[in-house]
Amino acid sequence: MKTTISHIKADIGSLPGHTTVYEPVVKEVEKYVKDHSEGLLSDFHISSVGDDLQITMIHGRGIDSPEIHELAWNAFKAGTEVAKKFGLYGAGQDLLKDAFSGNIKGMGPGIAEMEITPRKSEPFIIYMMDKTEPGAFNLPIYKMFADPFNTPGLVIDPNMHEGFKFEIWDIMEAKKIELPAPENLYDILAMIGSKSRYVIKRVYTKETHEKLPDENVAVITTDKLSLIAGEYVGKDDPAAVVRIQSGLPASGESLEAFSHPFLVSGWMRGSFNGPLMPVGLKNAKMTRFDGPPRVVALGFVLKDGRLSGPVDMFDDPAFDGARRTAVDVVDYLRRMGPFEPHRLPDSEMEYTTLPKIMEALGHKFQKIENATVKAKKLTESTKDFD
Ligand code: F6R
Ligand code: MG
Ligand code: MG
């Protein structure tokens, strides 16, 4: 029987800045989901990372179910009321629309859902990031499902040897493409290296996978808040659901993709590059320079619609090295202040508050006459050499 895992997250207010979710808000959302889940959910789990509240739901209604989306929306609404009561910062921030209209997509919250054929044992990991964007998952998902230096199972396990299929979205042009790896490895990399535009949405097994043919095995939230709201309203802190083991990356192969704190964009004011630090839940609060960007991993097993777990996977000294490196990178980058490449390039500052500053300066700019002349000369002299 098919089962659906729906993970929906939103920033509905935090304490004191964009640091962490306040416990009474978590409790309210938990209570709301519990009180309204009868006949809808077989199980659920509420967690939070930084200023983002996360609802993991198990049900049989498939993806894009209006009832499931509405439940999450209303739970966030209920949580927002508590956030307002305490005057929490940015209360209701990610709930961009007033009323629910059938699908939570495009309304602010991030959504990662997949309908699966559960295996005898169905282990999976929910990854949750704060202070970064959906493209931050490109590198680790690629490593898990396509890089044998990260995932030796791709070489050793006959069930993984044929590789996986990647569904990649161009979030600027609303187009998608499906490409298999390893056949199209270089094409995949040509796109997903541009992580603010091309994002991995889903990973599937191939039809030839012996244990689990043509199944969705990973899904990532790709909702870009700035594209919905037309301006910066907080980052689109992403989450992902990744199935593991038995012909899929092992738990440790999946986690290994985060053992090197690679650079992601987001962090302070959604305007800076910084290292992604893997942390346990107890350290999932954004402090230094509103970060650094962090990722938490919660491990579950699903059986007959019920969840066991979670296990807080990065709460482990084996990731101390990655955390230390991340802090070293923070010290190094911070000395650059507002300069690129610590600060994001102009193209990515478009949706921040910086254009307002530039706009206000606009009337003070004067033409540099010679510059135009020089530019012309340059073209002319280039012509001479043709
Ligand atoms: C928000 C974020 C923060 C804020 C910063 C300024 O996701 O990452 O770094 O951008 O704290 O916030 P405001 O403008 O609300 O004072
Ligand atoms: Mg926030
Ligand atoms: Mg956040």
Side-chain angles (χ1 to χ4, degrees), residues 11 17-18 51 89 93 130-131 232-235 237 266-270 289-290 353:
D11 178 345
H18 295 267
D51 55 11
Y89 196 66
Q93 170 191 287
D130 192 27
K131 302 293 179 271
Y232 180 77
V233 283
K235 264 287 168 191
D237 312 312
W267 205 354
M268 172 58 74
R269 299 178 185 275
F289 201 53
D290 281 2
T353 40

Side-chain angles (χ1 to χ4, degrees), residues 29-59:
V29 170
E30 191 152 28
K31 184 177 172 334
Y32 189 95
V33 177
K34 193 165 181 234
D35 292 350
H36 296 82
S37 63
E38 222 191 286
L40 275 181
L41 306 180
S42 57
D43 208 349
F44 71 94
H45 182 78
I46 310 285
S47 50
S48 69
V49 171
D51 55 11
D52 294 296
L53 232 157
Q54 318 260 349
I55 313 178
T56 311
M57 294 172 283
I58 308 298
H59 58 95

Side-chain angles (χ1 to χ4, degrees), residues 128-382:
M128 299 169 283
M129 297 181 184
D130 192 27
K131 302 293 179 271
T132 184
E133 60 175 4
F137 270 108
N138 284 1
L139 194 153
I141 293 288
Y142 168 81
K143 285 182 104 175
M144 288 175 211
F145 289 96
D147 177 8
F149 281 78
N150 180 86
T151 302
L154 291 164
V155 176
I156 296 167
D157 182 349
N159 286 310
M160 294 178 73
H161 202 68
E162 293 199 22
F164 295 90
K165 295 182 291 185
F166 287 75
E167 181 183 313
I168 300 166
W169 284 16
D170 175 344
I171 50 176
M172 297 296 174
E173 296 214 356
K175 290 191 298 201
K176 60 180 179 178
I177 184 169
E178 192 180 279
L179 292 171
E183 301 91 312
N184 289 74
L185 216 53
Y186 298 155
D187 297 320
I188 292 171
L189 285 170
M191 281 182 268
I192 64 170
S194 308
K195 58 187 173 37
S196 61
R197 172 164 185 172
Y198 297 100
V199 294
I200 301 173
K201 177 66 191 178
R202 291 178 192 275
V203 180
Y204 294 93
T205 55
K206 291 184 178 166
E207 292 76 5
T208 45
H209 194 284
E210 256 194 45
K211 299 195 166 174
L212 206 58
D214 207 14
E215 273 265 321
N216 193 184
V217 289
V219 60
I220 298 100
T221 61
T222 46
D223 315 82
K224 230 22 200 162
L225 283 178
S226 55
L227 296 183
I228 304 166
E231 60 176 345
Y232 180 77
V233 283
K235 264 287 168 191
D236 333 291
D237 312 312
V241 185
V242 178
R243 297 166 75 185
I244 53 171
Q245 303 293 148
S246 188
L248 304 179
S251 165
E253 287 170 331
S254 180
L255 296 168
E256 185 66 10
F258 296 93
S259 58
H260 171 67
F262 51 92
L263 294 181
V264 296
S265 55
W267 205 354
M268 172 58 74
R269 299 178 185 275
S271 307
F272 288 83
N273 283 309
L276 185 71
M277 186 158 84
V279 292
L281 279 170
K282 67 174 187 297
N283 290 319
K285 54 177 189 287
M286 306 301 135
T287 53
R288 187 166 177 194
F289 201 53
D290 281 2
R294 290 170 211 223
V295 56
V296 165
L298 297 185
F300 294 91
V301 163
L302 175 65
K303 180 73 179 170
D304 298 331
R306 305 284 305 176
L307 290 169
S308 298
V311 175
D312 189 358
M313 308 296 272
F314 289 136
D315 181 20
D316 178 349
F319 285 93
D320 281 351
R323 293 189 270 267
R324 257 195 316 274
T325 307
V327 174
D328 287 346
V329 173
V330 167
D331 286 336
Y332 173 83
L333 286 173
R334 281 304 304 125
R335 293 180 71 174
M336 293 188 70
F339 281 78
E340 297 176 20
H342 179 26
R343 203 215 69 189
L344 299 183
D346 269 9
S347 55
E348 291 192 46
M349 297 297 288
E350 206 179 315
Y351 293 106
T352 70
T353 40
L354 187 63
K356 285 191 184 130
I357 304 284
M358 296 309 293
E359 225 174 86
L361 281 178
H363 70 282
K364 289 191 180 167
F365 273 102
Q366 294 174 8
K367 267 213 162 72
I368 307 173
E369 298 300 339
N370 282 348
T372 351
V373 176
K374 263 191 185 155
K376 247 190 211 157
K377 273 200 178 142
L378 207 68
T379 336
E380 274 164 15
S381 63
T382 317

